[in-house]
C-alpha cells in the first residue's frame, strides 16, 4: 500500500471512507479492529468523522463507479468478488437495522 488515494488527496470525495476502511477493515487488522469500528459508528454523534464515513459509504454504494479505480481494494484487500459486494457487506455489518442504499443509475 504505497499509493494511498486518501493520503494523496485528503480532501477528495471518499478520502474519509477509504482511510477508515484501511484503518479498521484492512485484511491485516480486520480481526483486531472491526469491533472498534462497529462501536465507533454506533457512537457516531460523538465523532463527526463517522458521520462523514457513513455518508461516503452510502454514496459509494449508490454510485460505485465514482470510487477511484483500485483504491477500495488497496484500502481493504477484501475477499469479496467486487467493490460493490464489499461495500454492501460493510453496510449490513455496520448498520444492520437500516436498508442498504440502492444503486443509482448515472
Amino acid at each position: 500500500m504505497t499509493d494511498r488515494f486518501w493520503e494523496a488527496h485528503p480532501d477528495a470525495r471518499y478520502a474519509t471512507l477509504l482511510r477508515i476502511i484501511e484503518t479498521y477493515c484492512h485484511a491485516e487488522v480486520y480481526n483486531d479492529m472491526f469491533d472498534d469500528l462497529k462501536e465507533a459508528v454506533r457512537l457516531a454523534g460523538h465523532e463527526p468523522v463517522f458521520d462523514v464515513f457513513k455518508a461516503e459509504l452510502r454514496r459509494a454504494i449508490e454510485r460505485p463507479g465514482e470510487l477511484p479505480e483500485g483504491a477500495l481494494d488497496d484500502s481493504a484487500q477484501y475477499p469479496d468478488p467486487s467493490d460493490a459486494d464489499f461495500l454492501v457487506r460493510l453496510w449490513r455489518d455496520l448498520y444492520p437495522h437500516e436498508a442498504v442504499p440502492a444503486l443509482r443509475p448515472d
Side-chain angles (χ1 to χ4, degrees):
M1 288 182 293
T2 56
D3 295 331
R4 292 178 169 110
F5 172 84
W6 57 268
E7 284 182 334
H9 310 282
D11 296 325
R13 180 178 291 155
Y14 303 117
T16 300
L17 174 72
L18 294 168
R19 179 175 51 83
I20 289 175
I21 285 174
E22 183 169 332
T23 301
Y24 294 96
C25 302
H26 189 276
E28 294 176 0
V29 298
Y30 182 85
N31 291 331
D32 297 326
M33 300 294 294
F34 193 71
D35 285 340
D36 292 342
L37 177 58
K38 289 168 81 172
E39 181 67 9
V41 299
R42 188 179 72 75
L43 301 171
H46 302 297
E47 294 283 339
V49 69
F50 290 102
D51 293 329
V52 173
F53 166 79
K54 183 177 183 180
E56 289 183 4
L57 177 57
R58 177 185 311 280
R59 185 173 177 106
I61 292 170
E62 294 171 344
R63 298 173 178 93
E66 289 183 353
L67 284 166
E69 188 172 338
L72 184 58
D73 188 40
D74 289 345
S75 290
Q77 294 187 354
Y78 54 80
D80 304 83
S82 71
D83 286 358
D85 291 328
F86 171 78
L87 293 169
V88 167
R89 179 173 59 87
L90 183 60
W91 183 275
R92 287 182 175 144
D93 288 348
L94 296 176
Y95 308 104
H97 302 295
E98 296 184 39
V100 175
L103 181 67
R104 292 187 182 203
D106 290 334

